[in-house]
Amino acid sequence: MSAAASRAFGLDLPEYPWDAMAPYQRRAAEHPDGAVNLSIGTPVDPTPPVVRDALAAASDAPGYPTTHGTADLRAAVVDWFARRRNVSGLDPAAVLPTVGSKELVAWLPLLLGLGEGDVVVRPVVAYPTYDMGAVFAGATAVAADHLSDLDEQTRSRVRLVWVNSPGNPTGIVRSAQSLRTLVEEARALGAVVASDECYAELGWGQWDPAEGGEPVPSILDPRISGGSTENLLAVYSLSKQSNMAGYRAAFTAGDPALIANLVNSRKHAGMIVPAPVQAAMAAALRDDAHVAAQKDRYRARRNLLVPALEAFGLKIEHSEAGLYLWASAGEDTWTTVARFAELGIVVGPGVFYGDAGAGFVRIALTGTDEGIRAAAQRLHAGSAPGGLQRG
């Protein structure tokens, strides 16, 4: 057998990081009252009836769906941007539905034609798929929150800049001025800015309009874009705001030239959102009431967890928006993960999100009301004398 014929098949990728959680999940499961899993941000509340009804009504779909999305869906996205994101006059042709947002994050560098020698910039503490997208394309991922932090040689090779605001896992929200500076610097380099905004409706405190705050800014907001979508893509998912993670329902919008090229490439690859899902997406985007109701649920859960975590000895950092609390007990990440497991609570290790996540854990708000109450009670009990609070 030749050397070429004996090569193994498959991509040489690192192991999926969450597999390392198995022993902590087993330990948490041993709790007499069962485990409360707050490690992964998967929605647990019902998908709203308005979404399910639209899906059912569109379920007779014998023909192939359109890759570019139906005219009705793209109109719903345009209206939603104007109503919820301070982005008016968006071209419906500059909207593209995607099979969830993770696949777009993973494939965007490749679909943009990036390759060896090109640099993809991603946040210092970040969702790992940004790095994997660079790997799939043969490009190089570099961690930086500001392009000015890069040396000139690296800056000259930047072709794609990922910004994630609100951030996962940190919950950081970047100001309009910060984003405008990033856009200006990226455009000077001829780079695309892709903004992952899937937690934008879940702002807290100063970013919570229901409590007197302001909406989280979008990369397409004219205060940031300068009134032009050139080299800009906003990426959004309905998984979080509408409990549609199982639908794989997301979209991107922005530069018409970039979207047109992405549509063509995705036609060749068969990357298409099913027609009933497209109808469900349009219905979800037109109904703000279910989004507000779901946010109220998360706000209540957050209000229970924050004081419980602080009583347990954790300091919460950032977490201004999104479905997570980013916290540290001033110790090794895995020590904290183990202490939570002893209480029957599973949390996410900060080290999964880059070197800068060392010492942190990510706690999701996506438990049931019962689970969140149980977790809060266990944390308060663990902080009492004789409990598990770190001394």
Side-chain angles (χ1 to χ4, degrees):
M1 181 181 296
S2 69
S6 66
R7 283 190 308 152
F9 290 99
L11 298 175
D12 184 17
L13 301 178
E15 292 296 320
Y16 196 59
W18 287 97
D19 294 344
M21 286 296 297
Y24 302 96
Q25 292 168 335
R26 288 194 296 269
R27 181 67 188 94
E30 294 170 359
H31 191 278
D33 295 321
V36 178
N37 193 338
L38 303 181
S39 66
I40 300 178
T42 185
V44 297
D45 300 302
T47 303
V50 66
V51 175
R52 287 182 282 163
D53 290 347
L55 182 79
S59 61
D60 183 14
Y64 288 109
T66 170
T67 303
H68 196 179
T70 63
D72 184 61
L73 171 56
R74 287 185 280 121
V77 172
V78 168
D79 291 345
W80 176 82
F81 264 108
R83 190 176 72 252
R84 305 295 299 178
R85 308 294 282 127
N86 193 38
V87 180
S88 59
L90 192 63
D91 182 355
V95 174
L96 168 67
T98 63
V99 190
S101 59
K102 183 174 182 175
E103 65 94 340
L104 183 69
V105 172
W107 295 117
L108 185 61
L110 180 66
L111 295 178
L112 290 177
L114 274 58
E116 185 176 356
D118 294 327
V119 166
V120 175
V121 177
R122 54 85 165 169
V124 170
V125 182
Y127 186 50
T129 309
Y130 302 126
D131 282 348
M132 295 312 302
V135 169
F136 290 143
T140 301
V142 174
D145 291 326
H146 307 279
L147 293 178
S148 57
D149 295 338
L150 302 176
D151 62 74
E152 287 302 317
Q153 198 277 336
T154 302
R155 281 168 59 93
S156 69
R157 296 161 51 212
V158 172
R159 297 281 287 155
L160 172 62
V161 181
W162 277 108
V163 61
N164 182 206
S165 176
N168 172 17
T170 61
I172 290 174
V173 176
R174 295 188 61 157
S175 69
Q177 182 55 54
S178 168
L179 291 171
R180 183 181 181 93
T181 298
L182 180 70
V183 166
E184 291 172 348
E185 291 179 347
R187 282 176 169 164
L189 298 173
V192 170
V193 178
S195 179
D196 183 350
E197 303 175 355
C198 70
Y199 299 96
E201 290 275 16
L202 296 171
W204 312 115
Q206 73 176 95
W207 302 110
D208 189 352
E211 296 191 343
E214 61 179 292
V216 172
S218 170
I219 203 77
L220 302 183
D221 187 312
R223 294 174 298 165
I224 297 162
S225 69
S228 168
T229 59
E230 181 185 5
N231 278 13
L232 302 181
L233 292 172
V235 179
Y236 201 76
S237 167
L238 299 183
S239 295
K240 317 302 181 186
Q241 72 172 48
S242 300
N243 297 331
M244 292 177 68
Y247 286 57
R248 310 314 300 131
F251 55 86
T252 184
D255 187 329
L258 292 177
I259 294 292
N261 188 268
L262 290 173
V263 169
N264 184 57
S265 298
R266 294 171 71 89
K267 285 180 179 178
H268 283 290
M271 301 165 81
I272 312 172
V273 176
V277 174
Q278 293 192 35
M281 290 173 67
L285 287 164
R286 291 189 171 111
D287 182 77
D288 294 338
H290 79 272
V291 179
Q294 184 60 45
K295 184 172 180 178
D296 286 344
R297 294 187 191 102
Y298 285 134
R299 187 187 292 107
R301 292 166 185 168
R302 187 177 188 274
N303 289 342
L304 277 176
L305 277 178
V306 167
L309 291 167
E310 291 175 340
F312 193 59
L314 273 72
K315 179 182 179 183
I316 296 170
E317 295 195 7
H318 301 300
S319 308
E320 301 103 273
L323 288 180
Y324 311 107
L325 295 168
W326 183 242
S328 172
E331 62 193 5
D332 177 75
T333 289
W334 294 105
T335 299
T336 308
V337 170
R339 292 199 298 119
F340 273 89
E342 290 292 324
L343 295 178
I345 303 171
V346 185
V347 297
V351 292
F352 285 180
Y353 303 94
D355 293 342
F360 286 86
V361 292
R362 190 192 76 170
I363 303 100
L365 306 179
T366 51
T368 62
D369 288 342
E370 181 184 19
I372 294 290
R373 282 194 297 270
Q377 290 167 359
R378 294 177 195 181
L379 288 165
H380 280 297
S383 67
L388 291 171
Q389 184 178 19
R390 185 178 63 87

